[in-house]
């Protein structure tokens, strides 16, 4: 028996007692984890990681609702998590298998509980804001030394048109864009009134002629390469663009701002589909991500604040002290969250978002 155990250890533990390879299938956002952390997880546990990526919540939801996705751990945004829990998509977490669950940041867990009562089905992974990323030099050429500071500068057609010639990308995310537009219009960003959604769509569709593309990941490289000059995007992605430009030494300087009117705060979570083929390995992987040192590594790569409070002292100072990634108390008060629309309203949202993207 000891000889067998030694052999299994030499094999990295990847083969179970019956000779089956241990696997965990992950479906996560693009550029959202340290690849070396995956290698270290396999080296430590013997569990092989099969890792796929997506760039919209809608892609993930389609896979999950179809059933038999084959994934063991997925990373839905909180509003989608809320709706998917109601649809019976997820299994409750077995917290007896999550020895690191106490590392979760209490404030972030409390905010996530708005979508997942008692944090029964998910643990927080990353949290972030939606704001404006821009090419410093190209924006200065068009509006002078006055920095981007307000949603006025991008949500008014006469202002956005100043940047159209150098390229504008916008998130392909109705959740982000409608809530920001509603807040800008001094309406409830979490409004469930169809009329309010239409008012937000009216505002955004008026910008369509000045927008080069709606996409939720391509703006990273487009900014880094200098192909566009402005994007409404997520904080972490925007700083990834900045870092890629620096690594390329191409002279492109990227800045990111949370506009003074406030913006959406989002939380991405770690959850296990109800039909996950490897639930034990899924819990093992989630527990691994909740280690402070692992969470810090992932934040370094992704440039998103993570949900593990004890990781912050381990995060690079440039990130940990960046108020656009880890906002100060005053900024936190200007951040809002939204909940998932019900099915009838979702149809309105989908229809109105199509109208925004076509400009009709």
């Amino acid at each position: 028996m000891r000889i067998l155990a030694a052999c299994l250890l030499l094999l990295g533990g990847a083969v179970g007692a019956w000779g089956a390879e241990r696997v965990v299938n992950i479906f996560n956002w693009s550029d959202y984890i340290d690849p070396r952390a995956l290698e270290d997880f396999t080296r430590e546990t013997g569990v092989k990681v099969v890792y796929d990526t997506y760039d919209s919540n809608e892609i993930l939801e389609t896979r999950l609702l179809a059933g038999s996705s084959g994934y063991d751990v997925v990373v839905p945004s909180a509003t989608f998590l809320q709706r998917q829990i109601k649809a019976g998509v997820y299994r409750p977490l077995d917290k007896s298998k999550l020895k690191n669950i106490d590392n979760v940041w209490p404030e972030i867990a409390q905010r996530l509980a708005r979508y997942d009562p008692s944090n029964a089905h998910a643990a927080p992974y990353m949290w972030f804001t939606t704001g404006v990323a821009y090419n410093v030099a190209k924006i200065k050429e068009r509006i002078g030394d006055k920095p981007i500071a307000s949603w006025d500068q991008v949500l008014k057609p006469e202002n956005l048109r100043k940047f159209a010639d150098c390229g504008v990308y916008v998130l392909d995310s109705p959740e982000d864009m409608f809530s920001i537009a509603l807040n800008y219009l001094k309406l409830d960003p979490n409004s469930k009134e169809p009329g309010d959604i239409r008012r937000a769509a009216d505002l955004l569709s008026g910008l369509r002629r000045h927008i080069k593309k709606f996409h939720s990941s391509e703006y990273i490289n487009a900014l880094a390469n200098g192909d566009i000059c402005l994007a409404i995007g997520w904080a972490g992605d925007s700083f990834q663009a900045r870092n890629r430009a620096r690594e390329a030494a191409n002279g492109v300087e990227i800045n990111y701002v949370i506009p003074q009117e406030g913006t959406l705060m989002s939380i991405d979570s770690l959850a296990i589909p109800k039909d996950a083929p490897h639930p034990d390995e899924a819990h093992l992987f989630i527990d691994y991500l909740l280690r402070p040192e692992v969470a810090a590594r992932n934040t370094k790569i992704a440039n998103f604040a993570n949900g593990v409070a004890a990781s912050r002292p381990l995060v690079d100072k440039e990130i940990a002290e960046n108020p656009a990634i880890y906002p100060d108390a005053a900024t936190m008060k200007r951040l809002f969250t939204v909940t998932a629309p019900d099915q009838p309203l979702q149809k309105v949202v989908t229809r109105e978002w199509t109208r925004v993207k076509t400009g009709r």
Side-chain angles (χ1 to χ4, degrees):
M1 182 61 72
R2 289 181 179 177
I3 293 175
L4 175 60
C7 290
L8 289 175
L9 183 61
L10 289 172
L11 288 171
V15 180
W18 301 103
E21 186 178 44
R22 296 183 68 197
V23 176
V24 63
N25 299 311
I26 312 299
F27 202 27
N28 195 0
W29 296 85
S30 304
D31 303 303
Y32 218 26
I33 200 166
D34 181 356
R36 292 174 301 172
L38 301 178
E39 296 170 6
D40 291 346
F41 173 77
T42 297
R43 189 177 299 112
E44 177 182 322
T45 64
V47 177
K48 177 183 176 182
V49 178
V50 178
Y51 195 88
D52 293 335
T53 63
Y54 54 91
D55 59 22
S56 80
N57 275 294
E58 288 77 10
I59 291 174
L60 172 61
E61 184 164 83
T62 298
R63 295 276 188 94
L64 292 173
L65 294 181
S68 302
S69 69
Y71 292 112
D72 300 303
V73 178
V74 295
V75 192
S77 297
T79 50
F80 281 75
L81 171 75
Q82 180 184 33
R83 186 165 67 214
Q84 291 156 5
I85 289 172
K86 291 179 180 178
V89 165
Y90 298 114
R91 67 167 59 216
L93 294 176
D94 183 348
K95 294 183 182 179
S96 70
K97 296 179 180 178
L98 299 174
K99 63 184 179 184
N100 293 310
I101 195 69
D102 290 340
N103 292 335
V104 168
W105 197 325
E107 181 179 353
I108 305 305
Q110 183 179 3
R111 290 187 183 236
L112 183 60
R114 183 182 186 188
Y115 309 94
D116 175 26
S118 302
N119 300 116
H121 297 84
Y125 181 54
M126 300 285 182
W127 58 279
F128 52 94
T129 59
T130 304
V132 182
Y134 60 93
N135 182 309
V136 174
K138 290 185 177 180
I139 296 304
K140 186 175 181 179
E141 287 174 3
R142 286 155 179 82
I143 62 172
D145 291 326
K146 185 179 180 181
I148 300 283
S150 167
W151 283 117
D152 263 344
Q153 292 163 280
V154 291
L155 294 184
K156 285 187 174 180
E158 62 270 28
N159 291 334
L160 190 65
R161 69 185 295 271
K162 298 173 185 176
F163 315 126
D165 68 305
C166 57
V168 174
Y169 273 30
V170 170
L171 288 171
D172 188 2
S173 172
E175 175 184 311
D176 291 75
M177 297 310 303
F178 282 151
S179 63
I180 287 169
L182 287 166
N183 186 65
Y184 177 73
L185 292 169
K186 295 182 168 51
L187 298 170
D188 179 3
N190 194 35
S191 176
K192 307 305 181 191
E193 293 295 327
D196 288 346
I197 301 300
R198 283 189 281 271
R199 286 185 64 185
D202 288 342
L203 171 69
L204 296 172
S205 61
L207 306 174
R208 180 64 186 93
R209 71 184 65 183
H210 308 307
I211 296 169
K212 186 174 182 179
K213 193 169 189 178
F214 289 86
H215 203 279
S216 295
S217 63
E218 288 184 7
Y219 67 93
I220 302 173
N221 282 334
L223 280 168
N225 297 335
D227 297 332
I228 63 172
C229 61
L230 187 142
I232 298 178
W234 294 310
D237 286 350
S238 302
F239 287 109
Q240 285 182 40
R242 180 201 63 184
N243 293 345
R244 290 179 190 181
R246 288 178 177 177
E247 290 166 5
N250 60 8
V252 173
E253 181 184 355
I254 303 298
N255 195 16
Y256 171 87
V257 63
I258 298 172
Q260 61 194 20
E261 297 89 348
T263 193
L264 178 68
M265 173 185 172
S266 302
I267 305 171
D268 287 338
S269 58
L270 301 162
I272 303 174
K274 192 173 183 178
D275 57 1
H278 312 104
D280 288 340
E281 287 76 9
H283 281 90
L284 193 63
F285 186 74
I286 291 174
D287 195 54
Y288 175 76
L289 294 181
L290 295 179
R291 293 182 188 177
E293 65 276 15
V294 175
R297 289 172 61 182
N298 291 333
T299 283
K300 180 178 180 179
I301 292 296
N303 285 272
F304 284 81
N306 68 68
V308 177
S311 75
R312 190 164 180 180
L314 306 176
V315 173
D316 289 358
K317 270 193 172 184
E318 186 178 17
I319 296 174
E321 297 178 2
N322 186 333
I325 299 176
Y326 285 92
D328 57 28
T331 304
M332 288 291 284
K333 290 180 180 178
R334 300 200 305 272
L335 304 183
F336 51 82
T337 57
V338 298
T339 56
D342 60 21
Q343 201 56 44
L345 185 62
Q346 182 59 46
K347 292 180 180 179
V348 175
V349 169
T350 300
R351 182 175 65 249
E352 292 301 312
W353 187 239
T354 299
R355 180 162 71 91
V356 168
K357 289 167 58 175
T358 58
R360 296 175 182 170

